[in-house]
Amino acid sequence: FLSFLPERSNLTGVRHILLVLSGKGGVGKSTISTELALSLRHSGKKVGILDVDLCGPSIPRMFRVQDNAVHQCNSGWVPVFVDQDKSISLMSIGFLLEKPDDAVVWRGPKKNALIKQFVADVAWGDLDFLIVDTPPGTSDEHISTVEALRPYKLHGVILVTTPQAVSVGDVRRELTFCKKMGLHILGIVENMSGFVCPHCSECTNIFSKGGGEELAKHAGVPFLGCVPLDPQLSQSLEEGRDFIQEFPKSSAFPALACIAQRILDSMSQQSS
């Protein structure tokens, strides 16, 4: 009987696990994961990010820790900490590659084995939130991630789309995946929702507008908000800086803060 029980769980101290998903690449899942982590940290929360986008690990670069190495401890891998307070910790295959330009040319079983190892063998310690940044699609890596996390406190899923119909169609398929896997959908974020001119603050809808909100209404799930294209946000991600702290007057700032607050509200509702 005892052989069926896990020897240990490095996720015991994690209060809430959030999956960031999208059926489409290039919609900004890593951007939303990063800015959500920073927003939650500024709300006084301790956050980890698990980057399971094995072929495109961009989270280390967005926090400017891409040259850091992962070390071992008695409990497994020690995640990379972003700051001295250890308020944000990261794990990514990007830390394990010998060269930053190395391509991960792996078949499904090897990817799945690493995802399971990430879930089991990273010593996260105590976290309020673990955000899991996923690759695009509804395939092997997603099934492995969900199955590996299912025994733990998998609170729900945040779906990211851009406004145009092509993206919304792919995210609609991701909604179907979530329902088939029995995942609770916290809501939909519409990213790149208009471009805000840095000079006159006028918003231009480059890609169209409202696709994410319409999809949320159609699917009967919450709409968490729109995040506009903002040159300051792009610059801070390129340079690994804290957008929330440095650009509080940006139009993207209240949008990101509102999304984080809605997620915090959903946690408190679930607790009560």
Side-chain angles (χ1 to χ4, degrees), residues 20-33:
V20 179
L21 295 175
S22 176
K24 190 164 188 64
V27 298
K29 288 182 298 299
S30 297
T31 296
I32 296 299
S33 297

Side-chain angles (χ1 to χ4, degrees), residues 227-239:
V227 180
L229 277 167
D230 188 323
Q232 293 174 325
L233 177 56
S234 303
Q235 183 184 351
S236 70
L237 289 165
E238 286 287 311
E239 297 174 3

Side-chain angles (χ1 to χ4, degrees), residues 111-112 135-145 174 177 181:
K111 289 181 180 179
N112 297 342
T138 56
S139 57
D140 274 10
E141 290 107 307
H142 305 81
I143 297 168
S144 294
T145 301
E174 195 79 39
F177 168 81
M181 298 297 288

Side-chain angles (χ1 to χ4, degrees), residues 178-200:
C178 292
K179 288 173 183 174
K180 282 186 176 180
M181 298 297 288
L183 296 171
H184 172 55
I185 300 167
L186 293 173
I188 295 174
V189 173
E190 184 176 293
N191 195 26
M192 307 182 200
S193 183
F195 171 76
V196 179
C197 175
H199 304 293
C200 67

